[in-house]
Amino acid sequence: MAAAACGGEAARPVCAFSPRERRLFAISAPDGRLQVWDAASSRLQQEYVPSAHLSAACTCLAWAPPPTAAAAGRPPPPSKDGPQRKKRKSEVVEVDKQLDILAIGTAVGSILLYNTVKGELQSKLDGGHDSRVNCVRWHQDNCCLYSCSDDKHIVEWNTQTCKVKCKWKGDNSSVTSLCISPDGKMLLSAGRTIKLWDLETKEVYRHFTGHATSVSSLMFTTVKPMNENKPFDGITGLYFLSGAIHDRLLSVWQIRSDRKEKNAVMSFTVTDEPTYIDLTVSEVKEEPVKLAVVCRDGQLHLFEHILNGYCKKPLTSNCTIQIATPGTDGDSTPKPVPILAAAFCADKQSLLLVYGNTLQPIIEKVSVNTAESHVCLIRDVQKVLSLKTDVALTKVKTPVVNSDTKILVPGIPGHSTAVKTPSTGKEKKKNKRKSGETEESIEERLGALDIDVTKVKTPGGLPQTDSFAVLLVQGLESNDAEILNRVLNTRKENVIKNTVARMPIHAVIPLLHELTKRLQGNPYSASLMVRWLKSILTLHASYLSTLPDLIPQLGMLYQLMESRVKTLQKLSRLHGRLFILVTQAAASEAVQDVTEVNQTAKLVYEDESSEEEASDDEMIADKDSDENWDEDEEKEEQSDEQDEQDMTVEKEINGDSDLEPENESEEE
């Protein structure tokens, strides 16, 4: 029983093994192509490219399960004529063919059913979801499919009629993972909390809480209860496993008879977030559960434990497996090779390991000694890939092309394909052009096709805006730092605007997350990222306003901008003060640098005669001032005496005397 982590990020590989003897391995490449590999020979068997593989990338995979024991061993109804027996045989063949059907969930809400036997798309399920499909799970009867999405709903599909049988709300937030019970009557769904649904009534049977982030994996670990004394109702007493995004603990839960919410009974600890989980189901009480967990760091952890109740401490892995290169050919340092997926074989002892890259993975069957706590496998990946490429090239046929023929390769400007022409070749077509006609040049032909010749003739083969948009989407899908640095470090405003305008809508949010991550780094890089951010908010504002979860999506970016704006005023004040200090320091240095002028006279001339005359003049002036002072006093005294005499004479003339007025009247 295997399950890839559902509802994860774009960098997480979307892959799954076929349930029948792990014969096939399906993986979705970062560019949206679906590849089906043969596990035994590690050869590419089929490749399917959806029509909208870039805009509607694959988000989850699920193989059709094998028929149950009752369905496979159901005795045919009694009959005596031959034609009816032949019909029953064809029905068995039809059920066998359904095992190779692959359900593919996409980022736009649709589900594709791909038939690996015919190598073609069988049907498409539309109208159930409005947003990204996070997980798809088949029911045991192979006619029913369950899916969950970011639109908070769970949909039950009829794969024969390609219509929705039932749709109900699964959570208040995104539903990220699903799992069907062994008896097919219950359904586990998970977002932040885990719910157990009754498929007949579509009501919640149990609640389980304990994960802080969205649950990415759900699967049952037992098919029968460990306590065989009590009657079994199909679900009570079973254990199931759950893993969450950015969580290094895998929790094990038990479905109890009481309705109280319980914590996890035990947990397994790993080194990083789990991306692929496979386990062997325990059918009896004494049989341990074997668990293989592939983490984001590329390591594989193997666990073996008997589920017998509550365990307080987290359990560590019995064995850890890593793969590395031998470190030869001039490079003595071994390099780690990431493990993409792992699955137990039918004997429950050996493992199928998938490692390398998602575009060309390597599948190998290994037997691991779990007695060792750490195992490192040395594999020369480049040598294996070169051998596989050499064998594959023998099947390629090179067409016979005339040496004088010029071939225009369609594609994006800036990309070209070299065509090798054979040294010798025979012309099979005669020249039908008349003698009076002249052959048109390539430039005239492109002009007739209304193609701008200046865009085709790119100096130095530099990528244009179209290739920038394609590179940007590929870099975001594959999380390739080299491609993203090449695109995002451009400084031309026109190139940035055209690239943002031509990129698909579904890549806007991943690009904003990437820009937010880079804004937190070097300030030089932040100045470049602001230009991209400005173009996105200008050109895609209408799309962003339609997102219901825009606030949590851009919360980190908003907080980052808010913190920088708050410090702007303080930095401006500090800049002003520092400018004044620097100006004063520069002025004082300029003053100190100026040389002082010597103010002492080099020559002084003194004339003695002039000094004597000046002293005589001063003495004469002093004498004159004293004489003038005495003369002024004498003149003032004489003037006062003269005034008194004039007054007495005037009185006598007027007949005035010193007599009183009364005496004067008597005399009269």
Side-chain angles (χ1 to χ4, degrees):
M1 183 176 181
C6 301
E9 301 172 0
R12 178 178 299 168
V14 180
C15 53
F17 277 98
S18 62
R20 186 172 56 181
E21 298 178 356
R22 305 290 193 261
R23 187 172 58 88
L24 299 176
F25 177 73
I27 185 171
S28 176
D31 57 358
R33 295 178 297 168
L34 175 67
Q35 297 178 345
V36 179
W37 295 79
D38 183 69
S41 60
S42 188
R43 300 281 181 194
L44 179 62
Q45 191 174 30
Q46 294 179 16
E47 184 174 14
Y48 171 66
V49 182
S51 58
H53 60 285
L54 288 179
S55 60
C58 173
T59 56
C60 52
L61 296 173
W63 290 88
T68 58
R74 183 186 299 116
S79 177
K80 295 182 180 179
D81 46 356
Q84 290 186 0
R85 288 194 298 272
K86 184 177 181 181
K87 185 178 180 180
R88 288 195 301 272
K89 184 178 179 181
S90 64
E91 290 176 355
V92 175
V93 174
E94 186 67 24
V95 171
D96 186 66
K97 286 184 178 180
Q98 287 183 357
L99 294 175
D100 295 324
I101 296 178
L102 190 62
I104 307 169
T106 62
V108 294
S110 60
I111 300 174
L112 309 177
L113 299 182
Y114 179 73
N115 193 329
T116 58
V117 175
K118 298 180 181 180
E120 61 184 11
L121 185 66
Q122 178 172 305
S123 57
K124 184 178 181 180
L125 308 180
D126 275 328
H129 294 294
D130 300 330
S131 185
R132 167 195 175 100
V133 179
N134 291 325
C135 187
V136 288
R137 288 290 179 263
W138 289 87
H139 200 270
Q140 280 82 343
D141 60 2
N142 277 346
C143 295
C144 189
L145 183 72
Y146 292 88
S147 62
C148 63
S149 171
D150 284 345
D151 60 5
K152 309 176 186 178
H153 286 82
I154 302 173
V155 177
E156 181 181 359
W157 300 87
N158 188 338
T159 56
Q160 293 181 348
T161 61
C162 299
K163 293 183 179 179
V164 177
K165 290 179 63 177
C166 184
K167 180 179 180 180
W168 71 96
K169 186 175 181 180
D171 206 331
N172 293 327
S173 59
S174 300
V175 185
T176 55
S177 186
L178 296 174
C179 183
I180 300 174
S181 63
D183 62 350
K185 297 180 181 179
M186 295 287 182
L187 175 70
L188 280 172
S189 71
R192 291 291 180 89
T193 62
I194 303 174
K195 298 179 181 180
L196 182 63
W197 300 85
D198 188 346
L199 289 179
E200 185 177 355
T201 61
K202 305 299 187 295
E203 294 180 355
V204 179
Y205 183 71
R206 292 286 187 277
H207 283 273
F208 303 92
T209 58
H211 286 291
T213 56
S214 300
V215 177
S216 58
S217 303
L218 279 176
M219 60 185 65
F220 279 90
T221 60
T222 55
V223 295
K224 294 181 181 180
M226 295 304 171
N227 189 0
E228 299 177 354
N229 298 327
K230 296 182 180 180
F232 181 49
D233 59 356
I235 193 67
T236 304
L238 297 185
Y239 291 88
F240 68 90
L241 181 76
S242 66
I245 299 175
H246 308 305
D247 194 351
R248 295 187 299 169
L249 287 178
L250 294 172
S251 301
V252 179
W253 314 78
Q254 186 179 17
I255 303 173
R256 302 179 183 272
S257 58
D258 53 354
R259 290 182 175 272
K260 294 182 180 179
E261 296 182 0
K262 299 293 183 179
N263 296 327
V265 294
M266 66 183 65
S267 58
F268 300 99
T269 178
V270 291
T271 56
D272 204 344
E273 175 188 348
T275 58
Y276 192 92
I277 302 173
D278 185 40
L279 55 84
T280 60
V281 179
S282 176
E283 298 181 357
V284 295
K285 183 177 181 180
E286 293 78 12
E287 183 182 4
V289 173
K290 293 185 178 181
L291 184 65
V293 183
V294 178
C295 297
R296 183 182 288 275
D297 57 5
Q299 298 186 41
L300 171 64
H301 301 276
L302 299 179
F303 298 87
E304 186 173 348
H305 185 72
I306 298 176
L307 303 178
N308 55 0
Y310 183 77
C311 183
K312 186 176 181 180
K313 295 183 179 180
L315 301 176
T316 58
S317 60
N318 298 55
C319 180
T320 302
I321 300 176
Q322 287 181 296
I323 299 178
T325 58
T328 56
D329 298 335
D331 188 4
S332 59
T333 305
K335 296 181 180 179
V337 179
I339 300 176
L340 305 177
F344 288 101
C345 297
D347 58 358
K348 298 184 180 181
Q349 299 296 330
S350 55
L351 285 168
L352 280 174
L353 296 182
V354 183
Y355 57 91
N357 55 62
T358 55
L359 296 176
Q360 198 169 8
I362 301 173
I363 306 175
E364 181 183 353
K365 182 179 180 180
V366 296
S367 297
V368 181
N369 183 14
T370 56
E372 301 180 9
S373 60
H374 191 91
V375 177
C376 184
L377 303 177
I378 305 300
R379 297 291 184 270
D380 193 350
V381 179
Q382 298 296 333
K383 185 176 181 180
V384 175
L385 292 178
S386 62
L387 291 176
K388 291 172 63 176
T389 306
D390 294 341
V391 175
L393 287 176
T394 58
K395 300 180 182 180
V396 178
K397 295 182 179 180
T398 304
V400 179
V401 183
N402 185 16
S403 59
D404 298 332
T405 304
K406 295 182 179 180
I407 299 177
L408 293 178
V409 180
I412 300 172
H415 293 73
S416 60
T417 304
V419 179
K420 297 181 179 179
T421 56
S423 57
T424 58
K426 297 182 179 179
E427 296 184 4
K428 294 185 178 181
K429 294 183 180 181
K430 295 182 179 179
N431 189 5
K432 297 182 180 181
R433 188 173 65 251
K434 297 180 181 180
S435 59
E437 295 180 354
T438 58
E439 185 179 1
E440 294 182 354
S441 64
I442 299 298
E443 185 173 357
E444 293 174 350
R445 293 180 185 179
L446 294 177
L449 293 174
D450 196 18
I451 297 177
D452 193 357
V453 183
T454 59
K455 292 184 179 180
V456 178
K457 297 179 180 180
T458 56
L462 296 175
Q464 300 300 307
T465 305
D466 289 337
S467 60
F468 261 83
V470 174
L471 286 174
L472 182 59
V473 174
Q474 291 179 354
L476 293 173
E477 291 288 341
S478 61
N479 200 16
D480 193 332
E482 184 177 356
I483 297 178
L484 292 175
N485 290 335
R486 180 182 178 186
V487 176
L488 296 178
N489 287 339
T490 181
R491 294 176 173 273
K492 298 181 179 179
E493 295 289 343
N494 294 332
V495 175
I496 295 175
K497 290 182 180 179
N498 294 333
T499 303
V500 173
R502 298 182 185 185
M503 65 183 296
I505 292 296
H506 75 275
V508 173
I509 294 297
L511 179 57
L512 284 175
H513 291 169
E514 182 66 26
L515 294 177
T516 304
K517 187 191 305 180
R518 291 171 179 261
L519 281 171
Q520 300 174 2
N522 192 356
Y524 173 76
S525 175
S527 63
L528 297 177
M529 298 306 109
V530 168
R531 302 180 182 180
W532 287 90
L533 189 62
K534 177 182 177 181
S535 299
I536 293 174
L537 298 179
T538 304
L539 299 175
H540 296 287
S542 57
Y543 165 70
L544 293 174
S545 62
T546 60
L547 297 178
D549 56 345
L550 181 63
I551 295 177
Q553 290 277 7
L554 302 183
M556 182 64 69
L557 178 61
Y558 177 78
Q559 293 177 3
L560 181 64
M561 296 174 63
E562 189 72 17
S563 62
R564 295 204 174 189
V565 169
K566 287 182 178 179
T567 57
L568 177 61
Q569 186 177 6
K570 297 179 180 179
L571 290 176
S572 300
R573 294 178 180 176
L574 179 61
H575 177 267
R577 294 175 181 176
L578 291 176
F579 179 76
I580 294 174
L581 291 176
V582 171
T583 306
Q584 292 179 352
S588 62
E589 290 179 358
V591 171
Q592 292 177 0
D593 293 340
V594 176
T595 57
E596 296 182 357
V597 179
N598 190 5
Q599 299 294 337
T600 57
K602 294 183 178 181
L603 179 63
V604 177
Y605 175 74
E606 296 180 355
D607 191 359
E608 296 179 354
S609 61
S610 61
E611 291 180 357
E612 293 177 355
E613 290 177 357
S615 60
D616 295 340
D617 292 338
E618 290 178 357
M619 294 175 65
I620 294 170
D622 292 338
K623 291 180 179 180
D624 291 340
S625 62
D626 294 338
E627 293 175 357
N628 291 334
W629 176 260
D630 297 336
E631 289 177 357
D632 291 337
E633 289 181 350
E634 292 176 357
K635 286 181 180 180
E636 287 179 358
E637 292 177 355
Q638 291 176 2
S639 63
D640 291 338
E641 293 176 356
Q642 185 68 32
D643 289 336
E644 291 178 356
Q645 292 175 3
D646 292 337
M647 287 290 290
T648 55
V649 172
E650 198 171 304
K651 287 179 181 181
E652 291 176 356
I653 292 172
N654 293 331
D656 295 335
S657 63
D658 295 333
L659 297 176
E660 296 178 356
E662 294 179 355
N663 298 330
E664 291 178 359
S665 61
E666 290 176 357
E667 290 177 359
E668 289 178 1

